[in-house]
Structures are given as structure tokens and as C-alpha cells.
Amino acid sequence: MKDVLLSPLDWSIIVGYLVIVVGIGFVFAKKAQQSKEQFFLSGRVMPWWLMGTSMAATHLSADAPLAITGLIAKEGIAGVWFKWCYLIMWSLGIFFFARLWRRATVITDAELVELRYSGRPARALRLLKGFYFGVLMNCFVMAWCMVAMAKIVEQSVGWNRLVTMLVFSSLALVYTVAGGYWGIVVADLFRFFLALGASVMLAVFAVQHVGGIAALKVKAEALYGPEIFNFLPEFGASTSSRDDLLSLSGTTFFVYIFLQWWSQKYSDGGGKQIQRMSSAKNERHAMLGTLWFAIATYAVQIWPWIVTAVVSLVMFPHLADAEAGYPKVMMTVLPHGLLGLMLCSLIAAFMAILDTHLNLGASYVVNDIYERFVHPNAPQKHYVRASQLTTVLLLIVSSLIAWQIDSVAGMWKFVITFAAGAGPTFIIRWFWWRANAWTEISGMLASGVIASYLHTMHPELDHATNMILTSSLSAVCWISTTYLTPPVEERVLIEFYERVVPATPWWAHIAKKARPTHAPLDFSGVMWRFAASIVGLYLVCFGIGFCIFRELILGMGMLATGAIILAILVRSIENPLRTPKESSSMDTAKIDTAA
């Protein structure tokens, strides 16, 4: 490792970046402070490429490469299925949820509950979700990002956690308060390509440092066994015959692909992604932006992290904290100048996730708690000021939580489990008319209590077992609660259907009474696109991986096939299939016009 950690050139690059992003915030300050909708959604005029890139930038957080390193250290590359499983969720998000969220025209998903449900339970649920997502979940996410950034800065600059949090969190706070969502999204465009380019650069230098891809494979297999390079688990293989045998268990893998992607807090899109879908120009832009995000996040940007993580396990095989290997590689292999650029990209990634969650958390607190229950009908500038003050308070709470966290990957898994039982209720409300506010309330409370109990009283249980227990026990609670409580008023159901038109078979009797403002979804078309996008996205993802590890024929074949499937899907978004009823009415209109 270098004797001098950062040179004046490195520092000049970092300071230059900080000046740019803070400047972006102040450029958009006047526009952002016009109204609450401008501050949180930019007036709903985002094009797909900017919206999707911003979504991807929020997944470039500084905690992600460290957590990926921790996962691979325990389970090999197959351990990354903890993240890859979400490609299934986003395939459904592209063709179902993105369109519906844009139609709903809400600021937060908590606001939706008073459109979907009725009475006091709906109001109570909105208040609960405003706190649950706006404070609890958001502050946990920001806290583990602070921990990840502190680990990186400690290895590179030598600052302790307190100094790191004060410097970079304060700067993120300044331009978030000033520029709101406009400043965040425009800064995200710059940050995404900076961070992606820098992570690719680090992976290239890291691989060269150990002698190339072929040498990396030989060295890693000698240390950990060939299982480290498996993209899928060794089904039926023992995971405990040797200490150095890395293998993701078949049970955990099946939990990932059959349970985790839908049984979690962001099952129907997630707060920050819903915010971006809602800010799109129209439904088509929301769908295209979500597709671009899925490709950029899970098929492209994750691979440089994986490659560098494997190099770190070869270069530093006996670290007590495997996650620290990533910044150690960075400090070892990069020359000055490029080191500053790499550190700058990680600071950018950290600030991208921090400013997003500060703005998002404030949107829940102000829109769903303060305005709804404390101070309604105030001037728009009053709510903008309240949003800015809330942003500061959320940063303070997150900083206090960060002192209690050590492992980023471990925190990831706990938060996923905490909301595992609630996730299905967030999906079911779109598909099934019978779901009510008590469905979600019981699911959220049961999931949090069960997950916390298991985490505290049974720490020996693995992630898969915790997910299965939390999801299944919570399901018993919310399903029984649904049938024991009265359904939503039919008037509210009809109004909701007319607004978003989910058009699943389980809304049929409501559809007959409604006069929708949008064309109904072609449900069968949504399902085949959902299935096709899963295939296309995974082919592109693993095609890139096989190409990286020199299995070119297989990799190129998978890439080409996946690209063709995704191109067909893009075409279907531009010209969506119409239901027979739509086609008939449109054809009649054409005949009348011609006559």
C-alpha cells in the first residue's frame, strides 16, 4: 500500500467533484422551491433516459461493492443471487407497476393507500407507512451507506467514522436541501457514468495486478476451490466439508428466486423507484426508464464489483472484515490521479444514495404525516421549508444509527427480512380487490415483530430460514386478518380502478361498474412480457459474466439472444398490444373518421 495515501492531484479531483454537485443543487434551487411537487417529483416531466439513469445511480451506493465483496467471500459469485433475484421483480415492475404508479399520480406510495382503501384504517395505514418508510427504513439505508463510506475513507484517507460522516453527509445535505429532486436527478446523470467508469477502471487494474483473468482464476480456485466462480449453486453439494469451500446452499438459492424478490419492502417498486416512476413524462417513459435501470444495474454495473471482489479475496485472503478488501485493492493497484478519481466515484455513489433517501424520507414525513395530519392547507412554500427541515432531522437520526452498525451485508439481510412478510401485501393490493388496509397493517407489524424476534433470540438461523419463517408466519396473520375484517367500500374500489385500471382477473366485478380514464392493461400481454424480460435480462447479465471470464462463445451467444429478446420488448413498449375491446373500438373510430 502507498506510503502517501492521497496526492494533491487526488484531492483536487475530489474537491472538483464536490464543487460540481453542490453547484448543481444551487442551479436548480429556484425551480425546486416553487412547490412540493417540484421539490419531490420535478413536475412529472422526466424523460426515460434521465429517470432510468437516476434509478441506476441510486444503486451505485458506496455500500454496494463492499456488500458484494462480503457475499462473495462467504458464498462465491453465486452469493450475488442475493441481488440478482431482483431482476424478476423488476421484470414485473417494467410491464405492470411502472405504468400503474405513473397513472396513480401520487407523491409517495403511502399516499396511495387512501386512494385504494377507505375509512379510519386507511388513514392509520398512511400514517404508519409515512413513519415506516420515511423514517425507519430510510434511516437504516442511509446508516449502512455511512458505514460503508467510513470503511472506504478509513482505508484511503485515514479519517475516522465521525469525520467522514460530518464532511460528506453535510455536503450532500446542502445541495439536497437546495435543489430538491431536480438537483438530485441531474447530479445522478453525472454520477452514474463517473462511478460506472471508475469501477470498470478499478477492475481492469486489479486484474492486471494479479496477472490477468486466467491467473486470477487459478489463484482464486487454489485458495477457495472452483466453486467460487459458479454462477449457480452446487445443488446437493456439501457446504461444510472444508473451511475454504465456498458454496451457496440450494435452499438459500430457492429462497432468493421464489421468495425474496417479492417478499420484501420494495416488492412493487420501492420508495425511491416509485418516486422516479411517478416523475416520468408518461407511462411509456416510466416503463422504458425502468427497463434501462434493470439492465444498467443488474446486468452491467454489478460485474466490475464482482471482479474486484474476487481479486480482493486473492490479494487479502485472511481479512477479518472481508468487506474492507475492496478499498484495500483500490489503494494498492491504482496510481495517484486515478486513485483520486476512484475515491471520487465512491463519494459520488455515497452521496447519490444519501441525497435520494433524504429527499424521499422528507416526502413521506411531509406529504403523509405533516400535511395530512398536522398542518393541512398551508401554502406550498411552507411545505418546502418543512421538507428542508425534515431532511436535516433525518440525517441526524441516520448518523446515530450508523454508530451501531458494523457489517453492511449483514444489515442488508436483516432489513430484507424485517419487511419480508409485508412485501406480498404491497403486491396483492394491485391484483386483488379484497385486500384492505388491515391486510397491509397486519403484514407490516407481524413481519417486523417476527423478524426482530428471530434476529435477537435465534441468531444461529441463516438468512433463508429467517425469510421462510417470517414470510410464512406473517402470511397467516395478514390472510386471516383480511377475511376477518370488512372489505373496502365499493365506491372507493371503483374510483381506484377508474384511476389506475389494474385490469387483473380478480377485479372483474369492479371493472363492470367502472368507467376507466385509461385503456385497460392487457393482462395476458403483461404476463408474457414479464416472462420474456426475465429470460432476456438474465441472458444479458450472465452473457457479460461468461465473456469476462473468457468463455466467449457461450457468453456472446447469451448476449446476442438476450439483446434480441429485449429489443422485441422495447418495441412492444412503443406499440403496446391492445385488448380485443380496445382494438375493436379504435378500428370503429378509424372507420367513422374515414366515412
Side-chain angles (χ1 to χ4, degrees):
M1 193 169 292
K2 301 175 179 65
D3 294 331
V4 179
L5 297 181
L6 293 181
S7 70
L9 177 60
D10 297 323
W11 278 113
S12 65
I13 293 172
I14 294 169
V15 171
Y17 160 76
L18 295 174
V19 170
I20 290 172
V21 292
V22 172
I24 289 173
F26 282 101
V27 165
F28 288 95
K30 185 176 181 179
K31 181 183 287 288
Q33 295 177 33
Q34 291 175 355
S35 68
K36 184 180 66 173
E37 188 161 289
Q38 286 286 351
F39 191 81
F40 292 129
L41 289 176
S42 70
R44 304 184 196 273
V45 296
M46 283 293 155
W48 69 267
W49 53 269
L50 185 54
M51 177 208 113
T53 303
S54 178
M55 291 172 77
T58 65
H59 282 67
L60 272 172
S61 56
D63 66 299
L66 273 67
I68 292 294
T69 304
L71 291 170
I72 295 175
K74 292 181 179 179
E75 299 168 324
I77 291 177
V80 183
W81 274 99
F82 180 85
K83 296 288 288 182
W84 279 327
C85 69
Y86 296 120
L87 274 175
I88 305 173
M89 180 191 79
W90 286 113
S91 294
L92 188 60
I94 294 162
F95 297 103
F96 190 77
F97 294 125
R99 176 172 284 182
L100 298 184
W101 279 118
R102 184 59 185 84
R103 290 180 176 183
T105 59
V106 294
I107 291 179
T108 68
D109 52 323
E111 183 181 346
L112 181 82
V113 302
E114 285 197 281
L115 302 176
R116 173 62 177 83
Y117 307 127
S118 58
R120 290 183 179 179
R123 293 192 291 273
L125 177 58
R126 184 171 182 180
L127 181 62
L128 173 63
K129 295 188 82 167
F131 175 78
Y132 184 86
F133 287 114
V135 180
L136 187 63
M137 288 296 176
N138 259 307
C139 288
F140 269 115
V141 172
M142 289 188 285
W144 74 54
C145 291
M146 291 177 186
V147 172
M149 194 65 220
K151 290 184 180 183
I152 292 169
V153 173
E154 183 180 5
Q155 293 293 328
S156 57
V157 182
W159 293 353
N160 62 32
R161 185 177 297 190
L162 177 61
V163 175
T164 301
M165 289 163 54
L166 285 174
V167 173
F168 297 117
S169 298
S170 299
L171 287 170
L173 177 68
V174 168
Y175 72 80
T176 302
V177 168
Y181 184 72
W182 269 111
I184 292 167
V185 172
V186 174
D188 281 345
L189 181 66
F190 167 60
R191 288 185 293 218
F192 172 75
F193 291 103
L194 169 65
L196 178 61
S199 64
V200 170
M201 174 194 71
L202 175 60
V204 170
F205 273 81
V207 169
Q208 290 177 345
H209 185 82
V210 295
I213 287 290
L216 173 64
K217 293 175 72 173
V218 170
K219 293 175 181 178
E221 289 177 1
L223 284 168
Y224 304 102
E227 293 85 0
I228 190 173
F229 289 105
N230 289 347
F231 294 173
L232 293 170
E234 292 284 340
F235 296 105
S238 170
T239 60
S240 59
S241 59
R242 300 199 320 262
D243 289 339
D244 59 345
L245 177 62
L246 300 174
S247 181
L248 177 70
S249 73
T251 301
T252 302
F253 174 74
F254 282 115
V255 164
Y256 287 165
I257 63 171
F258 290 115
L259 178 63
Q260 181 167 296
W261 68 269
W262 56 267
S263 191
Q264 46 97 20
K265 65 184 186 298
Y266 292 155
S267 56
D268 65 344
K272 61 186 178 183
Q273 314 305 357
I274 291 170
Q275 185 183 31
R276 281 150 180 77
M277 294 174 192
S278 298
S279 72
K281 281 184 177 181
N282 53 42
E283 294 172 27
R284 177 174 171 270
H285 279 267
M287 297 166 73
L288 287 173
T290 306
L291 175 59
W292 161 233
F293 151 73
I295 296 170
T297 301
Y298 296 99
V300 177
Q301 72 182 27
I302 206 166
W303 282 107
W305 298 340
I306 291 172
V307 172
T308 304
V310 175
V311 172
S312 75
L313 296 175
V314 170
M315 292 176 59
F316 309 104
H318 303 298
L319 288 179
D321 180 5
E323 294 176 355
Y326 191 91
K328 281 182 174 291
V329 171
M330 180 182 76
M331 295 303 301
T332 303
V333 306
L334 293 178
H336 288 302
L338 294 183
L339 175 61
L341 183 64
M342 184 66 216
L343 185 59
C344 181
S345 74
L346 292 173
I347 295 170
F350 166 69
M351 296 175 83
I353 196 72
L354 193 66
D355 60 25
T356 291
H357 282 275
L358 286 171
N359 183 263
L360 177 66
S363 72
Y364 281 108
V365 174
V366 173
N367 188 64
D368 302 304
I369 299 176
Y370 182 71
E371 179 181 1
R372 177 65 181 84
F373 298 102
V374 179
H375 197 337
N377 303 318
Q380 285 296 308
K381 290 198 173 182
H382 174 83
Y383 294 127
V384 172
R385 294 288 181 266
S387 302
Q388 294 171 325
L389 176 60
T390 302
T391 302
V392 176
L393 296 176
L394 289 173
L395 182 64
I396 294 172
V397 174
S398 303
S399 301
L400 294 175
I401 295 174
W403 286 105
Q404 311 301 319
I405 299 174
D406 293 316
S407 171
V408 177
M411 201 61 212
W412 269 11
K413 292 184 176 181
F414 172 69
V415 171
I416 288 291
T417 307
F418 189 87
T425 68
F426 305 153
I427 295 177
I428 205 73
R429 65 187 175 190
W430 299 98
F431 283 85
W432 186 36
W433 70 273
R434 184 61 178 81
N436 60 30
W438 291 111
T439 306
E440 292 193 39
I441 293 171
S442 59
M444 292 167 65
L445 295 179
S447 181
V449 170
I450 294 167
S452 298
Y453 171 79
L454 293 174
H455 180 76
T456 304
M457 305 304 295
H458 297 281
E460 74 281 0
L461 296 178
D462 62 12
H463 177 66
T465 304
N466 283 332
M467 285 291 295
I468 292 170
L469 289 173
T470 302
S471 298
S472 57
L473 293 175
S474 298
V476 172
C477 294
W478 66 258
I479 291 172
S480 58
T481 299
T482 301
Y483 283 106
L484 291 171
T485 51
V488 177
E489 295 176 36
E490 188 174 81
R491 170 189 57 82
V492 175
L493 293 173
I494 291 172
E495 290 175 356
F496 177 77
Y497 186 92
E498 289 176 343
R499 186 164 184 160
V500 303
V501 201
T504 70
W506 302 278
W507 284 87
H509 79 287
I510 299 296
K512 293 176 182 178
K513 302 176 182 180
R515 295 181 178 179
T517 56
H518 301 279
L521 295 181
D522 175 9
F523 186 68
S524 62
V526 168
M527 289 299 102
W528 80 252
R529 288 174 176 83
F530 168 51
S533 63
I534 292 172
V535 175
L537 288 169
Y538 278 121
L539 283 173
V540 169
C541 175
F542 294 115
I544 293 173
F546 281 117
C547 288
I548 288 172
F549 291 110
R550 301 296 178 84
E551 298 186 41
L552 294 178
I553 295 176
L554 177 60
M556 293 300 292
M558 294 175 74
L559 266 174
T561 305
I564 291 171
I565 293 172
L566 294 179
I568 294 171
L569 290 174
V570 167
R571 178 64 179 172
S572 77
I573 293 174
E574 293 176 345
N575 299 285
L577 292 179
R578 299 192 297 271
T579 63
K581 184 176 179 180
E582 278 186 88
S583 298
S584 175
S585 63
M586 291 186 70
D587 291 342
T588 301
K590 288 179 181 178
I591 293 170
D592 291 343
T593 302

